[in-house]
Amino acid sequence: MAVADDSYSVKQLKDMAPNTPSLINIERFFASDFGDQQKLIERAIDYCALKLAENRHLKQNRSEDELTIDVIEILLGMGYDATHDTQIGGHVDILVRGKRDFLWIGECKIHGAYDWLLKGYQQLDTRYSTGNPGQETGEILIFVYNAGLDEVVAKWMEHLKNNRTDVTVEVSPSDNLVNYSTHRHPGTGRPFRVRHKPISLYWKPDDKGKA
């Protein structure tokens, strides 16, 4: 017997969601506010980071493009309109489109030098972002093969503040290794907010045996 479309409430659908991607996808259908869409894509990126970390032993020596495509493939599997190398002021690493012309840009960098991360920030700020309503947020995804992710994050935030005195930085209340920076968008003058998401891919097992 067919079940009527209105048989379940949104809460019931969320309670029935079998996993994080399903839950995010349900919430995404009902999210039209720009702020809600931003929060959901950040949760989706957090999920991508978990999946990459779980399989970090298989991600060693991968290029930025390969890691970026790994993230995009997970986002596509979650139902997101996510693309790579799309033209928005240049070749964007990750572009996600949503309702009401919502647009989120992710710039991906493998950590090697802090000036390399700064270049990614400058690209996101001055090249790719429009600063228009619903397009006032972005993210730097930092793939880190080094040990000591906390030290990398601390040094990166210090480097950013030293080189961009116009930014203010705050630590995420849900993850102390994630930071938000805010500054005046050079094009529109609106506040532009960037999330800095480190993804640890460090893998150096001490055991000599074969797992």
Side-chain angles (χ1 to χ4, degrees):
M1 181 176 179
V3 178
D5 291 342
D6 59 355
S7 296
Y8 295 98
S9 67
V10 176
K11 182 181 183 306
Q12 288 173 318
L13 288 172
K14 290 166 65 175
D15 289 342
M16 289 188 294
N19 50 38
T20 296
S22 298
L23 178 59
I24 291 176
N25 213 16
I26 290 170
E27 294 183 5
R28 192 168 57 83
F29 278 113
F30 296 94
S32 59
D33 179 81
F34 292 144
D36 290 340
Q37 292 185 78
Q38 177 198 343
K39 291 175 184 177
L40 285 171
I41 185 62
E42 290 180 358
R43 283 172 53 192
I45 292 297
D46 288 344
Y47 177 79
C48 293
L50 288 175
K51 295 295 106 179
L52 290 179
E54 287 176 6
N55 293 292
R56 62 196 182 280
H57 59 298
L58 302 175
K59 305 298 181 182
Q60 302 301 299
N61 302 315
R62 288 175 74 78
S63 69
E64 280 181 357
D65 276 346
E66 289 171 327
L67 291 169
T68 299
I69 290 170
D70 286 341
V71 172
I72 287 174
E73 287 179 343
I74 299 172
L75 291 175
L76 288 171
M78 298 171 75
Y80 273 99
D81 179 3
T83 57
H84 176 53
D85 265 354
T86 304
Q87 280 282 356
I88 298 286
H91 294 279
V92 175
D93 286 341
I94 304 177
L95 180 72
V96 173
R97 294 188 182 275
K99 297 175 183 176
R100 297 175 52 215
D101 297 320
F102 175 81
L103 188 148
W104 174 94
I105 294 172
E107 175 66 16
C108 301
K109 293 294 184 189
I110 291 177
H111 169 59
Y114 293 101
D115 278 343
W116 182 241
L117 301 183
L118 183 64
K119 180 179 179 180
Y121 185 86
Q122 304 284 50
Q123 287 174 319
L124 182 63
D125 175 26
T126 63
R127 180 182 293 273
Y128 304 138
S129 62
T130 71
N132 289 321
Q135 303 180 1
E136 300 156 301
T137 61
E139 188 150 345
I140 303 289
L141 282 74
I142 306 169
F143 303 114
V144 182
Y145 285 109
N146 311 60
L149 187 65
D150 56 340
E151 295 177 2
V152 171
V153 169
K155 289 178 181 178
W156 162 232
M157 287 296 99
E158 190 65 24
H159 191 76
L160 175 63
K161 288 185 287 186
N162 287 341
N163 286 273
R164 287 290 302 263
T165 57
D166 58 322
V167 305
T168 58
V169 174
E170 60 181 312
V171 178
S172 168
S174 60
D175 185 343
N176 66 358
L177 294 184
V178 173
N179 288 268
Y180 290 90
S181 64
T182 305
H183 68 278
R184 182 177 182 271
H185 190 273
T188 64
R190 292 188 176 96
F192 186 70
R193 195 171 195 232
V194 177
R195 190 170 82 134
H196 303 255
K197 172 68 179 180
I199 301 174
S200 176
L201 298 176
Y202 177 74
W203 186 72
K204 192 177 180 180
D206 288 332
D207 60 294
K208 302 299 183 181
K210 187 175 180 180

